[in-house]
């Protein structure tokens, strides 16, 4: 277990205050894990090219879920819904053992050792699942503007 909770993971987990919820997002999504009880709410605003320009979140999760949410938040601005969905799929496949690499989202390699601990997977996936849902919804809304 100590391989999971490294100093880098714990530092990330404490940085969540940098991304408070947005007052008027284009879309929001909330996800909850029945496995561990983690919960995350994500807000996203897109520009006219459907790229994230503003991001906010509220995270109630273990240190691994918090670290995953921080990694998502640090690198989501400028990303498209397709890029966020690709990161979600890559992370999910890696944790399940069906994909070799954890993907190219910066920093996710810090969570690679969690692959051996299935009980932690849901919390790690949650931020990317909520972000992919919010981004897809925001893209749909943006197209009707």
């Amino acid at each position: 277990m100590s391989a999971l909770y490294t100093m880098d993971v714990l530092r990330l987990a404490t940085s969540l205050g940098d991304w408070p919820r947005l007052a008027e997002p284009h879309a929001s999504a909330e996800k909850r894990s029945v496995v561990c009880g983690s919960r995350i709410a994500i807000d996203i605003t897109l520009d006219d090219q459907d790229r994230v320009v503003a991001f906010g979140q509220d995270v109630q999760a273990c240190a691994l879920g918090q670290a995953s949410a921080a990694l998502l938040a640090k690198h989501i601005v400028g990303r498209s819904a397709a890029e966020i969905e690709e990161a979600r799929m890559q992370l999910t496949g890696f944790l399940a053992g069906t994909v070799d690499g954890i993907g190219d989202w910066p920093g996710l390699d810090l969570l690679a050792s969690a692959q051996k601990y299935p009980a932690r997977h849901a919390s790690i996936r949650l931020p990317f699942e909520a972000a992919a849902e919010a981004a897809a919804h925001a893209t749909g809304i943006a197209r009707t503007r």
Side-chain angles (χ1 to χ4, degrees):
M1 269 309 182
S2 63
L4 290 176
Y5 299 99
T6 66
M7 190 57 71
D8 289 332
V9 167
L10 296 175
R11 260 190 222 105
L12 282 168
T14 63
S15 69
L16 290 177
D18 295 341
W19 300 281
R21 299 286 308 262
L22 301 179
E24 295 184 37
H26 288 157
S28 299
E30 188 169 328
K31 294 286 186 182
R32 183 176 186 85
S33 169
V34 295
V35 174
C36 63
S38 292
R39 185 195 61 76
I40 186 164
I42 299 265
D43 300 321
I44 287 181
T45 300
L46 303 177
D47 64 12
D48 59 358
Q49 296 181 3
D50 291 340
R51 295 206 169 268
V52 176
V53 293
F55 172 82
Q57 63 184 351
D58 179 38
V59 180
Q60 304 296 320
C62 68
L64 292 170
Q66 291 175 31
S68 179
L71 289 170
L72 171 75
K74 285 179 140 195
H75 304 287
I76 197 168
V77 171
R79 303 282 182 134
S80 68
E83 290 171 306
I84 298 165
E85 175 60 18
E86 176 62 30
R88 183 203 64 77
M89 289 179 3
Q90 188 72 31
L91 176 60
T92 299
F94 172 78
L95 290 173
T98 60
V99 174
D100 287 334
I102 199 163
D104 64 356
W105 196 274
L108 276 182
D109 55 314
L110 293 172
L111 303 176
S113 61
Q115 185 183 38
K116 301 174 197 167
Y117 302 93
R120 304 292 187 251
H121 294 183
S123 188
I124 293 168
R125 288 190 325 259
L126 219 53
F128 284 85
E129 290 171 353
E133 182 178 308
H137 186 64
T139 300
I141 290 171
R143 289 193 179 128
T144 62
R145 288 187 289 213

